[in-house]
Amino acid sequence: MTANFDEFMFMALKECRGIEDVLEKFFSFLRKRTDFCHTILTPEQLKQFNLDNSVNSRGFMPNQMRDLVNKIIEDNILLYRRANQPYLLPSSPRSESSQKSNSSDKPKPTNDSTGKSYSSDNPKPTDDSENLNSDNLNSEKSELKYTVNTWNGAVTEKYAWSQTFKEVTVEILSPRKITPKDVFITITKDSLTVKIQGQVFIDGEFCKSVNSFDSVWSIEDGFRILLSIEKSEELWWDCVIKGHETIDTQEIESVKRLDEFSSSEQNAILKLIKDHKDKNKFQ
């Protein structure tokens, strides 16, 4: 299926003048043939514009599509760099424990102005080298706001999350500015571990299994950790980590987006839409 789709896209690309033309035609198609640009209104807006809820039978939450497009772009850049430009990837996190060097290689202890002696085994403490404790992790959160749209998800004590049929997005806020060297994340098919500056932040079992190879993470603006976790099965999750806060999956907006169908299913849906429009022309 992927090979056929790639061939179809290659044929379409040959008809375009450049990448800008490709994107223009693609989003023009979404605008004209799908509900990609249709915004779901809030109850207040429905009242303001004197509309009933039927206008919300399709479309997406405000900014949901912008967030989705940005996320897809970032994910694909990361996947490309993994395969072709690994030197542009963030540095691997430092090992949590390093082997002690031989005593003959250790530098001699030095004294500071207070007369205290420090060495590699007894380093001088600094504010930057302190691990984040639970108080530090929560002390400045009130000044930070989540950017992820918690569509079909929730805001929990430690993170915000949202989901589609295919993936889960998790956003974690750090009260201090961080770099990839400060973050240690392990994603397996069954579990997630997140450490920030040596402090365990999340360590638990996923609600359901995931495709760890296609799950990625990144740091945004130095304070936000974004995880894109691909589900193994197209099922709704009631939580991210077992034992964490849950949501009622019966209240989930279970409308499946066009891009979540397979290529053949999308073609069938688009054909039905076209046939319906053609039929209405003659009525």
Side-chain angles (χ1 to χ4, degrees), residues 115-181:
K116 293 183 179 180
S117 177
Y118 300 103
S119 66
S120 59
D121 289 336
N122 181 32
K124 182 179 180 179
T126 63
D127 291 338
D128 292 336
S129 65
E130 293 178 352
N131 288 337
L132 291 176
N133 55 38
S134 57
D135 292 334
N136 289 333
L137 285 171
N138 295 313
S139 61
E140 301 178 25
K141 275 195 175 178
S142 59
E143 301 177 8
L144 299 171
K145 302 295 183 183
Y146 289 111
T147 58
V148 66
N149 188 330
T150 55
W151 182 68
N152 290 341
V155 175
T156 72
E157 182 181 354
K158 293 187 174 182
Y159 52 84
W161 67 285
S162 65
Q163 65 176 316
T164 66
F165 273 109
K166 292 185 176 181
E167 65 184 2
V168 173
T169 300
V170 177
E171 180 179 7
I172 299 170
L173 300 180
S174 171
R176 297 181 183 176
K177 194 161 188 177
I178 53 176
T179 68
K181 292 182 179 180

Side-chain angles (χ1 to χ4, degrees), residues 25-75:
K25 284 182 168 58
F26 176 69
F27 283 103
S28 176
F29 168 80
L30 293 179
R31 171 176 54 82
K32 293 184 291 185
R33 303 296 295 274
T34 74
D35 56 2
F36 183 85
C37 296
H38 189 89
T39 301
I40 293 178
L41 303 180
T42 64
E44 292 76 15
Q45 289 174 317
L46 291 174
K47 184 176 181 180
Q48 176 186 352
F49 302 127
N50 195 26
L51 298 170
D52 59 48
N53 201 47
S54 62
V55 299
N56 285 341
S57 61
R58 60 193 180 95
F60 304 90
M61 301 298 291
N63 297 320
Q64 182 184 347
M65 289 298 94
R66 290 189 181 92
D67 294 341
L68 176 64
V69 170
N70 289 335
K71 178 181 175 304
I72 291 174
I73 291 173
E74 292 298 326
D75 288 351

